[in-house]
Amino acid sequence: MASAMAGIEALKGTHQELKTRMEKSVEDFRAHLAATRTGRANVHMLDQVKVDYYGTDTPVAQLGQVSAPEPTLILVQPYDKAMVSAIEKAIRTSGTGLNPMSDGTVVRVPVPAMTEERRKEVVKHLNKTLEDHKTAIRNIRRDGNDQIKKAAKDKLISADDEKRANEEVQQLTDAEIKRIEELFKAKEKEVMTV
């Protein structure tokens, strides 16, 4: 779809900026979904876990090889053997509900089957994350509408251009919110499937 805002000199970069910011929000939501625990082991379940690596919070995936050799096990092989206990501690205290074990060289993270109550809890948490991201997208829409209103006030665009630009921003917002709702529905189905 060609942007009507792109043809208006005063709003040239606004559409692209809003689209980029909204897509970042959608990608952030997608990352949260990937890290969400389902009944199966998934290497992305540890994406949100940070380990104190010599004073820097570092993702587990950057400190070692993360794999899921079995449907109920995640294996972390640290590049630096001295980090085994730090990785184990970070996973245990991350709030993911996982209880890692190590033998001094690798960290084994068993992924227990989720109870019905835990599944509902996860969906509830995902719903809150969905609402947070919808709010972020709406805030981006508000910023865009403010830019359009300012351009109209400064007489850089006509009233018709302002109306078309506001409609375009609303269409963009609706499309991005629909995307994250579809992602949520797919993940909700995956979580609730036993």
Side-chain angles (χ1 to χ4, degrees):
M1 175 180 102
S3 166
M5 290 168 60
I8 303 168
E9 189 62 40
L11 301 175
K12 241 183 182 56
T14 304
H15 180 266
Q16 192 55 44
E17 175 203 340
L18 295 176
K19 188 165 179 57
T20 302
R21 287 175 59 197
M22 286 183 186
E23 284 174 352
K24 279 185 185 168
S25 189
V26 171
E27 285 309 310
D28 184 60
F29 184 65
R30 186 175 277 135
H32 275 279
L33 291 181
T36 300
R37 184 175 155 202
T38 60
R40 293 181 57 89
N42 178 346
V43 295
H44 296 292
M45 290 168 67
L46 302 180
D47 284 354
Q48 306 294 322
V49 179
K50 305 280 191 253
V51 181
D52 181 25
Y53 185 65
Y54 300 110
T56 305
D57 280 348
T58 309
V60 171
Q62 292 180 11
L63 295 176
Q65 172 93 29
V66 182
S67 61
E70 301 170 25
T72 58
L73 180 71
I74 299 173
L75 201 61
V76 182
Q77 294 176 297
Y79 303 129
D80 180 358
K81 301 291 183 230
M83 293 307 298
V84 170
S85 62
I87 291 171
E88 184 180 2
K89 182 179 179 214
I91 295 170
R92 185 170 286 121
T93 60
S94 67
T96 55
L98 299 172
N99 189 19
M101 301 170 286
S102 73
D103 61 7
T105 57
V106 296
V107 179
R108 287 179 176 75
V109 186
V111 180
M114 292 172 61
T115 63
E116 186 68 24
E117 182 181 318
R118 178 70 179 138
R119 290 176 192 280
K120 288 178 181 170
E121 203 177 289
V122 167
V123 169
K124 189 174 170 184
H125 174 72
L126 284 178
N127 211 347
K128 182 187 177 314
T129 306
L130 171 70
E131 289 307 316
D132 291 346
H133 283 79
K134 280 183 178 180
T135 302
I137 290 172
R138 289 185 190 116
N139 288 341
I140 295 166
R141 175 190 61 193
R142 185 195 60 224
D143 293 347
N145 288 340
D146 289 348
Q147 288 177 13
I148 293 165
K149 194 182 296 178
K150 184 180 182 322
K153 186 176 166 229
D154 295 345
K155 303 273 190 259
L156 298 173
I157 61 174
S158 68
D160 286 346
D161 286 343
E162 179 184 9
K163 186 174 187 295
R164 271 195 298 274
N166 280 329
E167 286 172 0
E168 190 173 324
V169 169
Q170 186 59 48
Q171 287 172 351
L172 184 62
T173 303
D174 292 345
E176 297 301 328
I177 286 178
K178 186 174 185 241
R179 274 179 61 194
I180 64 172
E181 285 175 340
E182 287 168 356
L183 290 169
F184 169 76
K185 282 187 181 106
K187 190 63 170 189
E188 180 183 30
K189 185 178 178 204
E190 181 185 340
V191 169
M192 293 309 287
T193 304
V194 179

